[in-house]
Amino acid sequence: MKILRADLYRGERSVAVRFRENRRWLVLFGMAAFGGALAAPVQAISKDILPDVGRRLTISGRQRMLIQRSGKLVCLSHHNPDAHRLLMAARESIELHQRSQAALREGDIDLGLVPENNSQILQELDRAEQLFNPFGAAVLDAVERRTVAAENLEAIAKLNGPALVAMDRAVAAIERVYRNQDLSEQRAMLINIAVRQGMLSQRLMLQLCLNRFNPADEDVFDDLFLAMNRFTVSLNILRRVSPQSVPPGAREKLVNTLEGADELWKELRIESSRATRRISGLSGSDMLEIDQRFEELLKKSNDVALLLEGAAK
């Protein structure tokens, strides 16, 4: 099983250089985290007022997370006898991704989005959808069959990379177009990084689960540790720079949230490293317990992103 390699994180290095120069979270069996995290900020937005572009950057960035999350849920269901609820959650992830993708193009007042009119962004969104569709089909195939075969996991491992790269390009286009117009360059980069942390939390668990499925696959193993390093780099950037980018009233909450994320990540990094050394002995229950910790990390990453997005208003 060959995992597509791609430089998904080139942005973080450039960000670091530029800075130096100048409804409740889902554990496993529901979609409350997505509904709550995506809907909560919109409640404060009047339907007669156009929402700010921080919202567009947040939702487009979360598309990357949903790609990894749906694959993760299918993989976890492969290791558990009670797979139905996991597979239903994977379906809901795909459906939310599809709805959000359409909203990024056509607008959706409930998600706080207006129609997109920039041709470059629309082109990248179309390409992202084209590469997402075969991945989504692989996930839905497992859902419809109510069982996960080896070929489902092989397809997910093969296709999640291209879909993720394409969506990353779309997010980058949104950041380029809108920063310095309605959103400062620094704030746009910080929101992008914060939302990407949520994606990395899900990618880490997906790669750990795929490693459990095929421990001999060195690409999966290498990508797992690459994602771990990228999460650490991004978190350090956020801790160093983002508190100074928000108003004083939001600063303490942001700092506390970042410190909580850092404390949890230090524990999870050690736990993930240990898990890879005993991966073949991990049971389905073991995998679910590890995933619960990654869900906590996702929630903290979402909280950071929403604090930054709120500060952008």
Side-chain angles (χ1 to χ4, degrees):
M1 179 170 59
K2 180 73 172 175
I3 307 297
L4 176 69
R5 288 191 156 304
D7 185 9
L8 300 176
Y9 314 108
R10 58 193 179 278
E12 273 126 3
R13 282 188 180 135
S14 62
V15 168
V17 170
R18 277 181 279 179
F19 280 134
R20 286 196 300 268
E21 292 172 347
N22 308 287
R23 233 175 342 175
R24 154 183 173 122
W25 55 275
L26 167 69
V27 176
L28 293 166
F29 307 132
M31 289 297 296
F34 303 138
L38 288 171
V42 182
Q43 294 171 2
I45 299 175
S46 167
K47 293 189 177 184
D48 298 324
I49 300 175
L50 296 182
D52 65 85
V53 298
R55 187 70 185 160
R56 184 175 298 277
L57 192 55
T58 299
I59 291 181
S60 63
R62 282 202 184 122
Q63 294 292 79
R64 300 172 296 194
M65 180 271 289
L66 289 168
I67 294 169
Q68 301 305 293
R69 185 183 194 82
S70 56
K72 176 200 79 171
L73 289 165
V74 171
C75 186
L76 286 173
S77 70
H78 178 69
H79 300 295
N80 288 274
D82 184 15
H84 177 70
R85 288 177 291 182
L86 290 164
L87 291 173
M88 290 305 99
R91 179 199 290 277
E92 290 173 344
S93 296
I94 293 294
E95 290 173 350
L96 180 56
H97 185 284
Q98 292 170 331
R99 176 192 172 185
S100 299
Q101 196 74 356
L104 287 166
R105 289 193 307 269
E106 302 160 13
D108 186 321
I109 194 64
D110 291 327
L111 291 180
L113 295 174
V114 295
E116 180 59 68
N117 58 17
N118 181 274
S119 60
Q120 179 187 6
I121 292 174
L122 289 170
Q123 182 178 2
E124 294 293 351
L125 288 172
D126 287 344
R127 177 168 176 77
E129 184 172 16
Q130 291 170 7
L131 289 173
F132 170 80
N133 285 338
F135 171 81
V139 170
L140 291 177
D141 178 67
V143 172
E144 295 299 331
R145 297 198 307 181
R146 298 187 178 184
T147 185
V148 181
E151 53 264 31
N152 293 122
L153 294 184
E154 290 167 358
I156 286 170
K158 177 182 178 181
L159 297 171
N160 91 87
L164 183 56
V165 170
M167 195 62 225
D168 198 51
R169 286 173 56 92
V171 178
I174 291 170
E175 182 186 335
R176 284 195 305 271
V177 168
Y178 286 111
R179 69 189 184 196
N180 294 325
Q181 294 184 18
D182 303 288
L183 191 67
S184 71
E185 180 176 0
Q186 184 184 77
R187 188 75 58 70
M189 289 187 292
L190 289 171
I191 292 173
N192 190 358
I193 292 172
V195 178
R196 186 177 288 168
Q197 292 291 81
M199 178 276 287
L200 286 170
S201 75
Q202 301 303 287
R203 183 167 179 79
L204 283 162
M205 191 63 216
L206 171 60
Q207 297 303 96
L208 189 62
C209 188
L210 290 173
N211 190 31
R212 170 67 178 82
F213 167 66
N214 186 3
D217 194 318
E218 293 183 2
D219 284 339
V220 171
F221 187 83
D222 291 345
D223 283 350
L224 172 64
F225 280 90
L226 175 63
M228 290 170 66
N229 290 334
R230 296 305 185 186
F231 193 98
T232 300
V233 169
S234 297
L235 185 54
N236 288 339
I237 291 172
L238 291 169
R239 292 178 66 208
R240 185 172 70 250
V241 179
S242 63
Q244 289 71 44
S245 74
V246 301
R251 195 164 297 160
E252 182 178 0
K253 187 173 183 180
L254 179 59
V255 168
N256 290 339
T257 304
L258 285 166
E259 291 304 310
D262 184 58
E263 185 176 326
L264 176 59
W265 172 236
K266 287 176 180 176
E267 297 172 0
L268 261 176
R269 186 181 179 100
I270 295 172
E271 188 173 344
S272 299
S273 298
R274 288 173 177 168
T276 59
R277 292 194 290 269
R278 55 186 178 87
I279 195 71
S280 60
L282 292 178
S283 67
S285 297
D286 293 332
M287 299 294 288
L288 295 184
E289 289 179 9
I290 295 173
D291 187 54
Q292 287 183 13
R293 306 296 305 285
F294 277 110
E295 288 296 311
E296 295 176 34
L297 192 62
L298 171 62
K299 183 180 184 302
K300 290 185 182 298
S301 298
N302 284 344
D303 289 344
V304 170
L306 293 178
L307 284 167
L308 288 167
E309 180 195 332
K313 296 174 183 177

